[in-house]
């Protein structure tokens, strides 16, 4: 191999190493930021379950809670930057593919692109709140859900569109919960670097947290379908109203307590992913 070819190969390897290092850093920062949000949402939901209704149990409420802490502004900016990292990581998966045998399949790339778009929105809302401190992370999730549903219902075949979206969210919730219970996340973890005790603790957070997260998604989807069937946008619910509705079931506030604790576990699971996920 001549000198020019060797230099070209060396530069290519250096670029790949740099890209891999940046991607890993972005992914771990994003997962940690997601963990903070779920920890706060779960804690707020626990407060709601025990009678404190003064704060929204959603992303907006979590940001408002964080802003009131010492160095709140710094923490908000760090959280937003971490979520930008999450979006960049998902973008790299959409462009270059992800780990696994089918990591470069069109389905995986499309899923990564959808996740990228979602985290771009979340990162923007957090950074906007950090910059202005006037709105709760882009507004209440309940109001956002009602407004989006109302606009969608006004479109041609709007009821069908909202119903299809709601069914999609229900399916996503069931898929999230089922994968958590079946411990499918093991495929993405560096299990060899974890002790047996650590694996057990991660499984507790992964199974409990994923099941709770899936339940919240599925419940929100059911409310969206109901809004479409009854043609009433107010029937749609964001995370806060969805969580509060769990307290109105026959199980009473204890179901909300269990789900809220599960969201806290999912926050801890996100921290575990930030530490041991293969990227």
């Amino acid at each position: 191999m001549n000198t020019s070819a060797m230099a070209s190969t060396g530069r290519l390897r250096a670029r790949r190493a740099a890209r891999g290092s940046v991607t890993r850093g972005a992914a771990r920062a994003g997962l940690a930021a997601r963990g903070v949000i779920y920890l706060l949402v779960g804690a707020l939901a626990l407060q709601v379950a025990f009678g404190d209704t003064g704060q929204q149990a959603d992303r907006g409420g979590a940001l408002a809670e964080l802003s009131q802490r010492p160095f709140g502004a710094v923490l908000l900016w760090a959280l937003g930057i971490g979520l930008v990292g999450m979006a960049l990581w998902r973008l790299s998966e959409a462009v270059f593919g992800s780990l696994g045998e089918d990591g470069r399949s069109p389905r995986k790339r499309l899923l990564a692109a959808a996740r990228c778009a979602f985290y771009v929105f979340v990162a923007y809302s957090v950074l906007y709140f950090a910059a202005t401190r006037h709105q709760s992370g882009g507004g209440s999730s309940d109001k956002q859900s009602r407004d989006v549903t109302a606009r969608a219902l006004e479109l041609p075949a709007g009821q069908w569109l909202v119903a299809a979206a709601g069914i999609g969210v229900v399916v996503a919730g069931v898929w999230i919960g089922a994968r958590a219970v079946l411990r499918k996340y093991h495929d993405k973890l560096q299990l060899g670097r974890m002790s047996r005790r650590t694996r057990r603790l991660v499984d507790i957070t992964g199974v409990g947290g994923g099941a709770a997260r899936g339940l919240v998604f599925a419940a929100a989807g059911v409310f969206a379908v109901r809004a479409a069937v009854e043609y009433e946008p107010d029937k749609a619910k964001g995370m806060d109203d969805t969580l509060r509705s769990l307290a109105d079931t026959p199980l009473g506030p204890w179901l909300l307590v269990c789900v809220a604790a599960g969201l806290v576990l999912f926050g801890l699971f996100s921290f575990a992913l930030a530490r041991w996920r293969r990227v």
Side-chain angles (χ1 to χ4, degrees), residues 134-150:
H134 294 316
Q135 295 189 21
S136 297
S140 163
S141 62
D142 303 320
K143 184 178 185 301
Q144 289 177 351
S145 296
R146 290 191 294 268
D147 290 346
V148 170
T149 303

Side-chain angles (χ1 to χ4, degrees), residues 83-84 86-88 114-126:
L83 291 168
V84 169
M86 176 75 93
L88 291 175
R115 286 170 169 166
C116 173
F118 173 75
Y119 281 107
V120 165
F121 169 76
V122 175
Y124 169 79
S125 68
V126 173

Side-chain angles (χ1 to χ4, degrees), residues 180-186 189 191 194 196-210 265 269 272:
V181 172
L182 295 174
R183 304 179 187 183
K184 293 293 187 180
Y185 53 82
H186 277 189
L189 289 174
L191 296 176
M194 302 162 62
R196 183 175 299 179
R197 180 173 180 272
T198 299
R199 288 186 193 182
R200 284 199 296 268
L201 292 174
V202 170
D203 278 339
I204 290 172
T205 62
V207 174
L265 288 177
F269 179 65

Side-chain angles (χ1 to χ4, degrees), residues 141-197:
S141 62
D142 303 320
K143 184 178 185 301
Q144 289 177 351
S145 296
R146 290 191 294 268
D147 290 346
V148 170
T149 303
R151 287 195 293 269
L153 286 174
E154 293 174 356
L155 297 173
Q159 281 184 284
W160 291 102
L161 291 173
V162 173
I167 292 171
V169 175
V170 171
V171 171
V174 173
W175 181 75
I176 289 170
R179 285 182 63 84
V181 172
L182 295 174
R183 304 179 187 183
K184 293 293 187 180
Y185 53 82
H186 277 189
D187 297 339
K188 299 180 176 64
L189 289 174
Q190 302 174 37
L191 296 176
R193 297 178 58 186
M194 302 162 62
S195 67
R196 183 175 299 179
R197 180 173 180 272

